[in-house]
Amino acid sequence: MAKDTTFTCTACNASFTKWSGRCDACEAWNTIEEVKPLSSGPKSKKSMGGLRGKQIDLTDLASEEKEPPRTLSGVGELDRTLGGGLVKASAILVGGDPGIGKSTLLLQAAARFARNGLKVLYISGEESASQVQMRARRLGLTESPVKLASETNLRDILTTLEAEKPDFVIIDSIQTMWLDTVEAAPGSVSQVRSAAHELTTFAKRNGIAIVMVGHVTKDGQIAGPRVVEHMVDTVLYFEGERGHQFRILRAVKNRFGPADEIGVFEMTGKGLAEVKNPSALFLSERGDPAPGSVVFSGIEGSRPVLCEFQALVSPSPTPQARRTVVGWDGSRLAMILAVLESRAGIPFTGLDVYLNVAGGLRVSEPAADLAVAAALVSAREDSAIPKECVVFGEISLSGALRPAPQTENRLKEASKLGFTSAITPVRAKRGGDSGVDLREFSDLHSFIEQIFGAQSPQ
Ligand code: TYD
Ligand code: MG
């Protein structure tokens, strides 16, 4: 059992279970002091008197405080991802690959918020003021009242913020900032963490909304935004495929709104344009019905978004068959393949499997299981799913199909985009008429039998 008290040497920090006049470790005299533990279990009556902190005030769960005031940028996709606008006294992290468009997005946001009455400061540690001005010219924002600086010394930046008293500040990027109190290179874990801590505390104390940009590196993400995610109120990731013009701003954490909300943008020659109807965009490159192509009616945050799953299955030239996934979870794919083999008798041994979500969207919902299974079987059997049909539903390990949340919303969106039928799990309760023909199944086996005909395992 742990002792109630221990003794440490104030000179060398060595600890002992007994007091003595001389430290055995560093041989100093009269340096050993008693240290009382903070926690006091039922038996440690003695240590109770040793707690030196002051009593903290406790309060009830009910509070008088109203919702924090918010400012809208007017860019619907941005306001939505922020959880309904920018909150005062908050710290936001915007992460993403270098070159994905973070600086562009934030300069445009800065201009919008400035136009809506906020005092906005844009501080770049990566580019000179003239480079930012050039971008502003390209984006047509030179008239906007945003104040600009190129600086990396955080002490000077905070002093400036104290004097200027802005409402909204952009720090681009947190990896370039350095504190003279920390002996480490800019971009190192300790600098990034300390700089983020200083900025977050400053934001709270002074009622400023501060956005920190953080680059994510593909490998490891060391010293990247990950080390500051827990400090800030909101974490947004800006995602997209290099070759595509679509960009997705995703809230992965939000103390002031729903996480998992997304905003969809398109990178144009004049900056980022918001995409008001993402479903139409993600399906825009779809051609005639092809084997392996399935439309999934998903939910991203608070709204339905349709997208296309594409699968390709081909005989593997190597003994180790390939499993390649873009836009979905690799281990979930392995699970679906195992369930297809064990519960529906459709093996994928010796076959390479490629799965892709078209348009660069990343789907993480389990409701996509059935769409993935349909795409895989459709590719393997070389048999297309009808073009005007959407698929969604969760698959359990037993092969049973489970209804997806917000089924009505998914069906409504499908109907809005011209889809006339849907393949879904059986539901106990039906909602209103969505105008879509339902083909419901209770398990994977019956779904495959009826959609693709009787299968003969190869
Ligand atoms: P940038 O915002 O600098 O990326 P990040 O800050 O995430 O590193 O954007 C870089 C890319 O965006 C660059 O390759 C050029 C492109 N771009 C456009 O296509 N249109 C534009 O109007 C702007 C400003 C940039
Ligand atoms: Mg940048």
Side-chain angles (χ1 to χ4, degrees):
M1 208 174 83
K3 296 255 180 210
D4 284 340
T5 49
T6 55
F7 298 85
T8 51
C9 169
T10 51
C12 73
N13 235 0
S15 60
F16 306 95
T17 51
K18 277 195 320 223
W19 187 89
S20 67
R22 184 169 180 242
C23 171
D24 283 344
C26 69
E27 304 186 342
W29 285 96
N30 291 330
T31 54
I32 299 205
E33 281 183 5
E34 187 179 347
V35 182
K36 298 207 165 131
L38 278 174
S39 69
S40 47
K43 289 200 176 137
S44 56
K45 276 187 201 134
K46 263 198 301 179
S47 65
M48 295 285 272
L51 297 172
R52 292 207 194 104
K54 71 172 170 53
Q55 193 174 353
I56 52 174
D57 293 331
L58 303 175
T59 173
D60 297 322
L61 287 177
S63 90
E64 297 288 297
E65 230 160 272
K66 291 196 204 79
E67 281 270 295
R70 292 172 183 270
T71 311
L72 294 176
S73 66
V75 181
E77 294 296 303
L78 176 64
D79 293 334
R80 167 204 300 281
T81 318
L82 285 169
L86 186 70
V87 176
K88 234 178 127 176
S90 67
I92 300 161
L93 174 73
V94 176
D97 290 340
I100 202 73
K102 299 180 295 298
S103 304
T104 309
L105 173 77
L106 290 167
L107 191 59
Q108 287 183 269
R112 286 295 197 130
F113 281 115
R115 202 193 302 160
N116 291 357
L118 295 192
K119 182 168 180 188
V120 184
L121 246 67
Y122 186 103
I123 296 167
S124 178
E126 306 209 325
E127 292 160 304
S128 64
S130 64
Q131 280 172 313
V132 181
Q133 283 159 345
M134 248 162 60
R135 175 177 293 132
R137 199 172 320 131
R138 180 172 175 183
L139 299 172
L141 302 173
T142 41
E143 300 302 309
S144 142
V146 174
K147 285 278 169 230
L148 179 66
S150 175
E151 184 54 66
T152 56
N153 182 336
L154 205 60
R155 189 186 290 273
D156 294 346
I157 292 173
L158 293 180
T159 307
T160 312
L161 296 189
E162 207 146 42
E164 292 284 332
K165 302 198 187 339
D167 303 301
F168 181 40
V169 178
I170 290 147
I171 303 288
D172 187 2
S173 67
I174 191 69
Q175 274 110 340
T176 55
M177 297 297 139
W178 63 278
L179 270 168
D180 47 22
T181 48
V182 177
E183 274 186 42
S188 61
V189 175
S190 45
Q191 279 288 6
V192 168
R193 195 181 286 145
S194 313
H197 176 73
E198 288 294 333
L199 285 163
T200 308
T201 331
F202 192 87
K204 304 276 163 190
R205 206 180 317 125
N206 297 282
I208 303 176
I210 295 188
V211 167
M212 295 171 241
V213 174
H215 294 295
V216 179
T217 50
K218 280 254 155 40
D219 50 316
Q221 310 178 341
I222 311 287
R226 286 286 145 90
V227 298
V228 299
E229 274 186 359
H230 67 279
M231 286 180 213
V232 295
D233 301 302
T234 303
V235 178
L236 309 179
Y237 273 93
F238 206 37
E239 313 164 343
E241 295 285 314
R242 272 294 166 93
H244 281 290
Q245 72 271 40
F246 314 136
R247 298 283 180 270
I248 290 153
L249 186 65
R250 183 185 296 275
V252 295
K253 162 180 170 179
N254 198 348
R255 286 196 184 131
F256 307 114
D260 272 338
E261 197 66 86
I262 64 165
V264 185
F265 298 88
E266 193 176 349
M267 183 60 100
T268 70
K270 285 197 164 159
L272 291 153
E274 59 178 325
V275 172
K276 295 230 163 101
N277 189 346
S279 299
L281 173 101
F282 291 126
L283 298 181
S284 60
E285 284 165 13
R286 237 172 112 241
D288 288 333
S293 153
V294 168
V295 175
F296 166 58
S297 187
I299 299 282
E300 291 290 342
S302 60
R303 68 178 157 176
V305 173
L306 263 53
C307 63
E308 181 193 1
F309 272 90
Q310 301 166 338
L312 177 68
V313 174
S314 65
S316 179
T318 58
Q320 187 76 25
R322 264 174 172 277
R323 305 298 184 231
T324 306
V325 197
V326 178
W328 207 50
D329 182 25
S331 46
R332 196 92 190 167
L333 171 68
M335 193 195 98
I336 302 293
L337 290 171
V339 176
L340 279 170
E341 173 155 3
S342 313
R343 310 296 180 196
I346 302 192
F348 283 81
T349 349
L351 297 171
D352 282 343
V353 174
Y354 301 89
L355 184 74
N356 177 39
V357 181
L361 183 69
R362 247 194 25 230
V363 177
S364 55
E365 264 194 293
D369 290 354
L370 193 56
V372 171
L376 293 171
V377 179
S378 158
R380 187 184 182 278
E381 302 303 317
D382 204 26
S383 155
I385 295 258
K387 191 174 185 205
E388 63 290 344
C389 178
V390 295
V391 183
F392 59 88
E394 199 177 327
I395 301 175
S396 68
L397 288 180
S398 66
L401 303 187
R402 285 199 221 114
Q406 302 197 42
T407 293
E408 294 312 322
N409 277 344
R410 295 174 201 262
L411 293 174
K412 253 188 243 149
E413 179 78 358
S415 164
K416 210 167 84 188
L417 279 127
F419 289 82
T420 53
S421 64
I423 295 172
T424 66
V426 174
R427 276 180 303 158
K429 255 199 310 197
R430 285 282 185 86
D433 185 20
S434 52
V436 174
D437 249 352
L438 293 183
R439 301 192 62 181
E440 298 184 320
F441 300 95
S442 59
D443 63 274
L444 197 58
H445 191 75
S446 62
F447 154 69
I448 289 169
E449 224 170 47
Q450 294 194 37
I451 299 295
F452 298 100
Q455 303 300 315
S456 50
Q458 284 169 6

